[in-house]
Every structure is written in structure tokens, then in C-alpha cells.
Amino acid sequence: MMAFPTDRPRRLRINPSVRSLVRENRLSPAQLVLPLFVTHGTGKTEPIPSMPDVFRHSVDRLQRIVDEAMSSGIKSVLLFGIPETKDEVGTSALDPGGPVPAAVRMLKKDFPGLVVMTDVCIDEYTTHGHCGLVRDNRVDNDSTLECLSGMALVHAQAGADIVAPSDMMDGRVQAIRKRLDQKGFQDTLILSYAVKYASSFYGPFRDAMMSGPRFGDRSSYQMDPANRREAFREASLDIEEGADILMVKPALPYLDILRDLANRHDLPLCAYQVSGEYSTLMAAGKEGWIDIDRAILETLTSIRRAGASMIITYFAIRAARLLAQSDLT
Ligand code: PBG
């Protein structure tokens, strides 16, 4: 048995070069995904009060931020849409002229090499703000599947590389895979929000998207934060249904779940550092209570360490720039 004074872990921390040599996990801009809020109309760059430095962009105003992202080494974006009209059944989610399909067409044309992902969920497109169709005051699973697969098809037809269902209806990955394959979109990937918890950390996002539920909450479809074993079941079902990548969301409060899935499954794992994670760090940084730049790199590195191959984060561009001056890559 070796022990002190022979064994001294501090030798491995003696200087930055040695620390870099033995570092177990690295973070690269190519592993970061930038979420973008795309709004209807033109000439719009709207600030979001609860998410400092994040904006809603109309399609004609997207170029600049995507240029910034790509020149800092980011290769993928995830699009969310704010439509002009909403109704009970989310009709505007199926509009090929809506903000998301229009943005996909523009980005695929102007930014070769960019991976374009789209959020597939109807909450932003419905007047009630739920992620599924409402029948008798309940969110109805099976009738929602048609709507979701139709929306995924519209995105694929516009040229999306990856569709990402975030609704948490049962069977939606299967419904989307089937519909895409029938129409010849075998190569469109599905990134499934497989393990999505009913979280308070989505608050600022609902502000940004004007998409909070008008009655009740999302607990009848999103997962109970107290549950761990249920995550295995959700992940296994989505794998059987044809998911290509699995997501855990939110990220930091659920690192144990990420690690569990990394140990158990072979699919690439994605983590979503959600709006509330972003805004709490930004607020503490603004007060001077934490060093925000260090906190960004520390949280993202921790998410990688827990097992994520890729991370969706509103800090993507800032983090990529910080990484360029660090030895963490
Ligand atoms: C649902 C959706 C939500 C988020 C992504 N997709 C909100 C919700 O489930 O209430 C949250 C993302 C974030 O908080 O950054 N379409």
C-alpha cells in the first residue's frame, strides 16, 4: 500500500501544462449547440428581459448571430419558432412558410456545413400553451402524434438535418420516424428529448416564447424530478422507437441521470443547459457574486464529465470564445 509521503496527488497539479496533460475531460466549441428563437415578420431583434443578451430574431436578422457562432467554431443551431397566429390545435406549426421552415431554408442555403436542428412541439403554436392537443381539459396523447409527425415532416422538407421532439408524448419518436421514412427522409436524424423533467428552470424560456400553459402545468407528461429509474425506461423506449441521439433536460440538476444513461446506453447523449440555468448564472454574475466566465466553463465541463457528448446552451458563443483562450479544449 502506497500512501503519504510517497503518494502525493498534488504532483499532478504542479503547473498548468501538467494539469492540461492529465485533464480527463475536454470541451470543444464543436460540441456546443446554439438555441435560436425565430420570430415571424421582418426587421426584428427583440431583447428578452429574463434572458440578458438573448434575443428573438426574425429570419432576415439571423445571419449575423449565426456568422458569429460559426466563426467561433460552433457548428450547430437549434431553432424554436414564434408564429404569427396560434389556435387550439396548433395549425401554424404545420405551415411551410412559418418562421422555423423559413429559417431552415435560409440557413441551409447560406451556411453550408451548419447542422440545423428544429424543436418539434406545439406549445408555442397553441392558444392553451400545452405540448399536446387538449381534449376534455386533458392533454391527449395519440391525437397529438399526427400533429407532431406532420411538423417534423415540414421541417425535414425545409432541409432540417435533425428534428428534436420536446413534447414528451408517448410514441412520438416512432410516429415521426415512420412518417419521415414514408416520405423519403431516412437520413433525417431524430434527437429525442427522451428524459425531460417537469422543471422550474424553464421559466425564462416560456417568457421568451410566450408559451406557458394557460391552465394546469406540464406534470402529466414531463417527468417527476424525484424519479431516476423512470429515466431508463423513457430512454429505452425512445431507442426502440428509432431515436438517434438522446437528451437529458435540464442539465446541471440532473447530472446523475446523464451519468446513468451514459453507463447504460450506446447512443450519443445530449444535455440541455436550459433557460433557468442560464439566467440564474447571469444574474449572480451581474451581482458580482460569482465569476460568470469561470462558472460557464465549469458547468459545461461538468456536463461533459457526467457523460454528454453535446450540450445545448445559450452560452454557446460566449463559451466558444472563452475556450479559444483556455487550455480546456
Ligand atoms: C417545449 C420546450 C420547452 C423548452 C424547450 N422546449 C419548455 C417547456 O417544456 O416548458 C425549455 C428550454 C429552456 O428552458 O431553455 N417546447
Side-chain angles (χ1 to χ4, degrees):
M1 264 290 268
M2 276 214 297
F4 183 82
T6 322
D7 206 353
R8 291 176 184 271
R10 285 188 58 194
R11 276 196 291 265
L12 290 171
R13 300 176 205 137
I14 201 155
N15 65 41
S17 303
V18 169
R19 290 198 291 275
S20 179
L21 188 68
V22 300
R23 182 159 296 128
E24 297 176 32
N25 291 283
R26 294 185 183 273
L27 182 64
S28 133
Q31 295 159 333
L32 304 178
V33 181
L34 175 69
L36 292 170
F37 301 139
V38 189
T39 189
H40 60 89
T42 55
K44 293 187 201 160
T45 309
E46 301 168 349
I48 300 157
S50 56
M51 298 183 74
D53 301 341
V54 178
F55 299 85
R56 301 184 201 101
H57 309 267
S58 52
V59 176
D60 60 309
R61 292 283 188 92
L62 270 179
Q63 241 102 0
R64 202 175 126 216
I65 187 161
V66 177
D67 265 332
E68 282 178 27
M70 286 200 89
S71 57
S72 64
I74 289 160
K75 298 177 194 303
S76 16
V77 294
L78 170 63
L79 306 180
F80 293 91
I82 299 137
E84 191 165 14
T85 59
K86 303 186 185 206
D87 62 19
E88 274 290 297
V89 293
T91 308
S92 55
L94 299 169
D95 177 7
V100 168
V104 172
R105 284 190 295 272
M106 184 278 284
L107 294 173
K108 289 306 291 179
K109 181 160 107 4
D110 293 358
F111 297 92
L114 181 71
V115 176
V116 179
M117 313 182 182
T118 60
D119 184 76
V120 173
C121 185
I122 61 171
D123 62 327
E124 296 118 46
Y125 300 85
T126 53
T127 38
H128 48 73
H130 276 291
C131 301
L133 298 174
V134 173
R135 283 200 180 157
D136 305 326
N137 263 3
R138 283 195 67 241
V139 174
D140 186 65
N141 196 87
D142 295 13
S143 60
T144 305
L145 301 181
E146 169 84 13
C147 192
L148 292 166
S149 62
M151 188 176 177
L153 179 61
V154 169
H155 294 175
Q157 285 167 334
D161 300 286
I162 303 182
V163 292
S166 67
D167 52 283
M168 289 300 280
M169 296 302 116
D170 294 328
R172 92 271 209 215
V173 172
Q174 182 182 64
I176 291 171
R177 186 72 273 160
K178 201 168 146 203
R179 188 97 173 248
L180 291 179
D181 287 359
Q182 271 168 1
K183 299 284 180 178
F185 291 96
Q186 283 84 358
D187 291 337
T188 306
L189 284 86
I190 300 179
L191 161 55
S192 169
Y193 288 64
V195 179
K196 177 173 177 177
Y197 287 92
S199 173
S200 60
F201 286 93
Y202 308 146
F205 172 93
R206 292 177 190 172
D207 239 20
M209 303 296 290
M210 300 165 279
S211 66
R214 296 283 168 275
F215 68 91
D217 58 27
R218 302 212 200 289
S219 308
S220 78
Y221 41 104
Q222 297 179 351
M223 289 170 57
D224 182 340
N227 292 355
R228 173 179 173 220
R229 292 166 63 244
E230 192 180 17
F232 295 131
R233 185 165 176 223
E234 285 285 2
S236 302
L237 285 169
D238 282 11
I239 293 170
E240 277 169 38
E241 291 181 27
D244 298 287
I245 306 170
L246 300 178
M247 190 197 296
V248 174
K249 175 187 177 182
L252 212 59
Y254 299 93
L255 293 185
D256 57 328
I257 308 296
L258 259 178
R259 174 43 56 193
D260 281 341
L261 295 192
N263 288 346
R264 190 175 293 211
H265 297 294
D266 301 331
L267 261 56
L269 283 180
C270 177
Y272 197 148
Q273 184 176 51
V274 299
S275 58
E277 297 179 74
Y278 172 85
S279 299
T280 50
L281 290 177
M282 285 296 275
K286 187 167 165 240
E287 293 290 340
W289 294 336
I290 55 165
D291 176 338
I292 180 77
D293 287 342
R294 285 188 58 200
I296 291 170
L297 294 179
E298 182 180 338
T299 52
L300 293 175
T301 300
S302 300
I303 296 165
R304 288 273 300 136
R305 192 195 62 233
S309 355
M310 67 195 86
I311 306 168
I312 302 169
T313 173
Y314 302 95
F315 289 122
I317 294 178
R318 187 163 177 175
R321 288 179 179 157
L322 291 169
L323 284 171
Q325 300 148 35
S326 83
D327 62 351
L328 297 174
T329 50

